[in-house]
Amino acid sequence: MIQRPSGLGAQPTNEFIHEKEQWEAASAKGKGRKGPGSGAVDRTISDLPLKSLYGPEDVAHLDLADDLSYPGQYPYTRGIHPNMYRDRLWTMRQFAGFGNAKQTNERYHFLLAQGQHGLSVAFDMPTLMGYDSDAPQSRGEVGKCGVAIDSLADMESLFDGIDMGDITTSMTINGPACIALAQYVAAAEKKGIPRAKLGGTIQADILKEYIAQKEWIFPPRPHMRVIVDMMRFCRDEMPKWNSISVSGYHIREAGSTAAQELAFTLADGFAYVEAGMKAGMDVDSFAPRLSFFFNAHIDFFEEICKYRAARRIWARHLREKYGAKDPRSWQLRFHTQTAGCSATAQQPENNIVRVAYEALAAVLGGTQSLHTNSMDEVLALPTEKSVEIALRTQQVLAYETNVTNVVDPLGGSYYVEALTDELEKQAEEYFRQIEEYGGVIEAIEAGFFQREIADASYRYQRSLETKDRVIVGVNAFEKPEETQDIELLKITEEIERGQARGVQNIRSNRDAQAVGNALDRLKKACNDPSDNLMPHLIDAVNAYATEGEIVEAMVQVYGRYTERAAF
Amino acid sequence: MSRPLRVIIAKAGLDGHDRGAKVIARALRDAGMEVIYTGLFQTPEQIVQTAIQEDADGIGLSILSGAHMTLFPLIVEQLKAQGAQDIVFFGGGTIPPEDADELRRRGVQAIFTPGAPLSEIVSFVEHECGKRRELVG
């Protein structure tokens, strides 16, 4: 192997080589651990091969300047800011929403009073799928997984008493994201806060819906036009708003490996960049407003390396492939959430510990914001008590552990640098395969991502069956007589009935003519790619058209997506 | 040799979490059964219709959205309405223990929650669907 003059691996001396040989001989005598979990010591949780020790030879091919550089400098492997958490801690942002807007609004006031920095809205399934609370498809689902938002009236009560110009808000919604954004803008403007002052993020990452989360409405091709309109609208009118949060979280939750999460998410990001450029936007005019959202799973080092690799890949592609000139376009900023799928229903208090390790990985990987899951989320929506513990977990990490005081403390670790590099290589190999299909949309249509994820999740499940891998309390260290005595949050059926009555009231007490006209103009714009949809959507929500009505109007033009079911 | 057991794995309502459903579908297939996966967003009516048309021995329903107390009983009702109570009906998802008890009382034969070993689910399905097959031939 050629030693690069500025490489990480110094030319080994004879003495060092001798010591290595001694270690190899001693190591070979080891008998290997037996017992639970000993079947997978040679692989990460994602099945990447592991050595028992990493050394200079594993990083000799890396270049200090090209591959690592310094924090705040291209390719940002070591972080996007020169001082990282010394200058500013990550944003502690707990995802919350349940029942109706009034209940969720109370939870938001509670979280802000506990020292949380920003809000993060969880919507219920009907809202995420574009159905009103009184639609037949919504039965049993209203307010269960998040808050029910049918019309502008709900959005107004969601932010009642909260200064929307002062906080930042993240909204996790994709299929109908353009409608939620329109409602947010309209609710703020009714309070006299101009849209240009609004800070936050809307997920709006439709590609990963087809890949993993499955909350789609329209087919991919027309939906890409909706995305481009949103990016353009945010660029022109909402300079503080992140137009898309390109998300790997759900890809991982659906059972992918770390490398798949990394690769598929970045491939989606590149697809949005290409769509924006194809629509005539300068890459530097919108790329800085794209942000990312990753999972923090339980394989500690693999996760840290995933974030470091993500930054390096994004920077390289944006600068080299897409010709971005603005360093902000090169910088991958991301939110992290601890892995819901790593939490267990058995001995749920153990989840507090898992979350703490996962949060530490996210912070050592340089996240910009963080949601820590509550211990009871695998059973139901979290109670106030468990949400508080989750937030305190972040505060202990931020204020007690001192991990914030040194930037990228694991940089230069033979293992961390080698694994970062390996993940980058695996991602590049996936990009090549996606390219062979003709792009992300074509690969979705061919079922490529869905198959890769299903294969990985089945492999993982088998490794639990054979006990090659251990989950404490599930396939080892079980408590057979375990009874659940933790308090759970229940959403009553009265919420559904009340929400259904509410949306019916809205429909009977508004200017029906104005709604009809606004929806007609929206449909016309759907047929005319040169007319941005966003102003028409804002008009429609201001007339109190409901989400279901707006979706229905758009479906008349775009159609509904259906997936070919396979397993 | 009789034909293999045939099982429908179903997703109902608006719930898109299909990881568990797909894993179960594969595990049952690996155990030699014929598995029909309905895909997402099926109504209880559609699921029961599929089971009857396919002459299935069992239906497994997966729900992780919290709508289990609505959707499981609707399928039990449909099975009764169609005179198809002989079809084994089981399910799984994020279902609190007291809800699982209530669903068993209301006619769901088994509820499996996260962490249930695949082997346990497979042997339940083999046993119960096998009994059903002996009865109806």
Side-chain angles (χ1 to χ4, degrees), chain A residues 47 81 109 118 186 198 255 291 296 386 419 447 458 487 496 512 524 537:
Chain A
D47 264 344
H81 301 301
H109 281 284
L198 298 177
S291 63
S386 66
L419 190 56
Y458 193 53
E487 175 204 0
E496 182 160 329
K524 234 175 105 213
L537 287 162

Side-chain angles (χ1 to χ4, degrees), chain A residues 164-180:
Chain A
M164 296 168 82
D166 188 45
I167 51 141
T168 60
T169 301
S170 168
M171 288 191 283
T172 300
I173 189 163
N174 297 278
C178 55
I179 302 169

Side-chain angles (χ1 to χ4, degrees), chain A residues 439-505:
Chain A
V440 170
I441 291 180
E442 289 79 2
I444 288 169
E445 288 166 347
F448 168 69
F449 302 107
Q450 300 91 316
R451 214 164 37 244
E452 284 286 314
I453 294 170
D455 289 347
S457 99
Y458 193 53
R459 270 200 310 273
Y460 175 69
Q461 199 63 41
R462 304 268 10 153
S463 74
L464 296 179
E465 290 290 307
T466 57
K467 302 202 186 203
D468 280 352
R469 290 188 191 286
V470 158
I471 299 180
V472 172
V474 176
N475 65 352
F477 317 111
E478 304 98 314
K479 271 202 293 194
E481 298 305 312
E482 188 182 353
T483 52
Q484 221 123 74
D485 55 359
I486 64 171
E487 175 204 0
L488 295 180
L489 182 80
K490 290 269 185 187
I491 304 299
T492 62
E493 291 195 11
E494 180 44 35
I495 293 287
E496 182 160 329
R497 286 193 293 270
Q499 192 67 26
R501 277 197 303 275
V503 65
Q504 283 154 5
N505 272 338

Side-chain angles (χ1 to χ4, degrees), chain A residues 14 51 71 77 146 177 206 228 242 258 296 310 329 344 383 390 393 465-466 468 510:
Chain A
N14 285 339
K51 304 179 10 172
T77 312
I206 198 64
V228 169
N242 296 314
S329 301
T344 65
T383 61
T393 304
E465 290 290 307
T466 57
D468 280 352
R510 62 185 184 184

Side-chain angles (χ1 to χ4, degrees), chain A residues 335-388:
Chain A
H335 172 70
T336 308
Q337 179 172 340
T338 58
C341 62
S342 73
T344 65
Q346 296 79 356
Q347 306 172 34
E349 291 87 349
N350 297 348
N351 295 328
I352 297 172
V353 182
R354 294 189 177 96
V355 164
Y357 290 132
E358 292 167 353
L360 177 58
V363 166
L364 293 177
T367 195
Q368 275 61 60
S369 65
L370 180 60
H371 167 103
T372 34
N373 286 344
S374 301
M375 64 165 172
D376 50 359
E377 278 179 78
V378 68
L379 302 164
L381 287 167
T383 61
E384 205 159 88
K385 164 109 181 148
S386 66
V387 170
E388 188 181 331

Side-chain angles (χ1 to χ4, degrees), chain A residues 125-127 129 131 137-141 144-145 212-216 252-256 297 341 345-346 377-380 450-451 454-458 460-462 465 474 484 488 490 493 496 563 565-567, chain B residues 12-19 21-30 35-41 43-45 64-71 74 94-99 113-120:
Chain A
M125 290 304 301
T127 307
M129 297 297 290
Y131 294 107
Q137 290 88 347
S138 305
R139 60 190 171 181
E141 315 255 18
K144 289 276 165 64
C145 283
Q213 188 168 239
K214 323 280 173 156
E215 289 161 9
W216 54 64
R252 193 64 182 278
E253 290 290 301
S256 83
H297 213 291
C341 62
Q346 296 79 356
E377 278 179 78
V378 68
L379 302 164
Q450 300 91 316
R451 214 164 37 244
D455 289 347
S457 99
Y458 193 53
Y460 175 69
Q461 199 63 41
R462 304 268 10 153
E465 290 290 307
V474 176
Q484 221 123 74
L488 295 180
K490 290 269 185 187
E493 291 195 11
E496 182 160 329
E563 182 188 51
F567 63 90
Chain B
L14 300 177
D15 175 20
H17 300 87
D18 56 5
R19 174 179 180 167
K22 287 181 173 181
V23 165
I24 300 300
R26 285 190 183 205
L28 297 177
R29 186 179 62 190
D30 284 359
V35 181
I36 296 158
Y37 171 51
T38 62
L40 298 168
F41 315 131
T43 64
E45 295 79 1
L64 291 95
S65 69
H68 49 269
M69 294 311 283
T70 306
L71 292 168
L74 283 172
T94 43
I95 297 168
E98 65 271 26
D99 287 358
T113 48
L118 290 177
S119 54
E120 184 188 324

